[in-house]
Amino acid sequence: MEYPINGSCQCGQVTYTLSKPPVAIAACHCKQCQKLSTSAFSITAMIDADAIDIHGEMSEWSRVAASGNTSSAKFCAVCANHIYHYNPSNPSHLMLKPSTLSDTSIINPTIHVWVSEKQDWYKIPEGALVYDTQP
């Protein structure tokens, strides 16, 4: 894949350009991510904050994660589509929601976290790194 690649929320009010590949792509199976995605897991692309240029108004929501860290979400103020999550104590690393990319071919999670809460029917692909909780 060639970079940069573009992305946007569902309504197009928030747009962004990702200038370099993600560090890693992970699937989180925790109950909170299941609620967020309304599916078995949520996918995140771990990126450096300086790798993304975002335009448009976003809102923010935060919660305390099981780890004790704060998990903050940035999402479109109009359609509420999540763009990324981050830990405010480490704002240089973001967890981009890669389904918002115009080219989603990079989505291939090689890391699975919080598998202690995963849905029984989902089978993790062979060769993936697996963690019962957050590494």
Side-chain angles (χ1 to χ4, degrees):
M1 161 156 312
E2 290 188 32
Y3 288 81
I5 53 177
N6 297 317
S8 69
C9 64
Q10 291 182 68
C11 73
Q13 192 269 340
V14 174
T15 59
Y16 66 87
T17 301
L18 182 63
S19 62
K20 62 184 181 182
V23 175
I25 299 188
C28 181
H29 298 266
C30 78
K31 296 298 183 188
Q32 292 298 320
C33 280
Q34 290 178 36
K35 288 180 181 184
L36 168 68
S37 67
T38 68
S39 187
F41 52 85
S42 178
I43 300 172
T44 59
M46 295 166 232
I47 65 168
D48 296 324
D50 64 0
I52 193 166
D53 183 27
I54 303 172
H55 300 277
E57 182 185 351
M58 291 196 292
S59 294
E60 183 170 334
W61 177 77
S62 298
R63 68 176 178 84
V64 176
S67 65
N69 293 325
T70 298
S71 176
S72 294
K74 290 283 202 170
F75 53 92
C76 174
V78 176
C79 69
N81 196 178
H82 285 223
I83 303 299
Y84 68 89
H85 293 221
Y86 73 104
N87 178 342
S89 67
N90 189 9
S92 63
H93 295 95
L94 307 179
M95 293 166 284
L96 178 70
K97 304 314 279 178
S99 295
T100 61
L101 288 164
S102 58
D103 181 350
T104 57
S105 64
I106 69 163
I107 301 175
N108 181 21
T110 57
I111 302 168
H112 290 257
V113 299
W114 282 99
V115 297
S116 60
E117 297 184 0
K118 121 180 152 43
Q119 293 294 315
D120 290 338
W121 55 264
Y122 180 76
K123 303 298 180 222
I124 294 173
E126 228 176 274
L129 293 174
V130 177
Y131 298 94
D132 279 342
T133 60
Q134 190 72 31

